[in-house]
Amino acid sequence: LLQTRALRIIEEQLMDDDLEELSSESDVALFRSASNFRLAELSMQKQDLSDARKYFSKSINEMPEAPWSLRAEDMLEQLESLR
């Protein structure tokens, strides 16, 4: 339950700077992965495809078994096709 709440906060409430800090300093791989995935989504919204690629990759590398990893892999493939 606590983990679910934390993930919801990452997805809905944290700003870029907080997500950056969490992605590099959290002791919990799940939270690092989630924050990188969220940073990738925000980068996509800003049309910063280079950062989006970077954050999707980091999200997958942090925790390949995370529920969002398949989505991150799909997004990376789409971004690569745009090159």
Side-chain angles (χ1 to χ4, degrees):
L1 183 63
L2 185 58
Q3 191 175 60
T4 302
R5 286 185 193 159
L7 290 173
R8 189 173 306 123
I9 289 169
I10 290 169
E11 293 171 5
E12 298 172 1
Q13 296 178 13
L14 294 185
M15 304 304 284
D16 292 24
D17 291 342
D18 296 323
L19 290 165
E20 286 279 358
E21 184 177 341
L22 185 61
S23 74
S24 63
E25 297 183 16
S26 176
D27 293 334
V28 181
L30 181 68
F31 298 156
R32 290 192 308 269
S33 180
S35 60
N36 278 307
F37 186 83
R38 183 65 184 136
L39 284 164
E41 291 179 320
L42 294 172
S43 296
M44 292 288 291
Q45 289 175 5
K46 296 175 193 172
Q47 297 184 344
D48 185 343
L49 304 184
S50 176
D51 272 358
R53 280 186 201 91
K54 175 180 75 173
Y55 290 124
F56 281 131
S57 293
K58 288 172 81 173
S59 176
I60 295 164
N61 289 336
E62 284 292 346
M63 192 170 193
E65 68 277 10
W68 47 83
S69 288
L70 287 176
R71 173 94 171 113
E73 289 173 8
D74 288 344
M75 293 305 297
L76 271 176
E77 286 178 20
Q78 290 180 33
L79 289 169
E80 289 304 316
S81 71
L82 296 175
R83 282 187 168 194

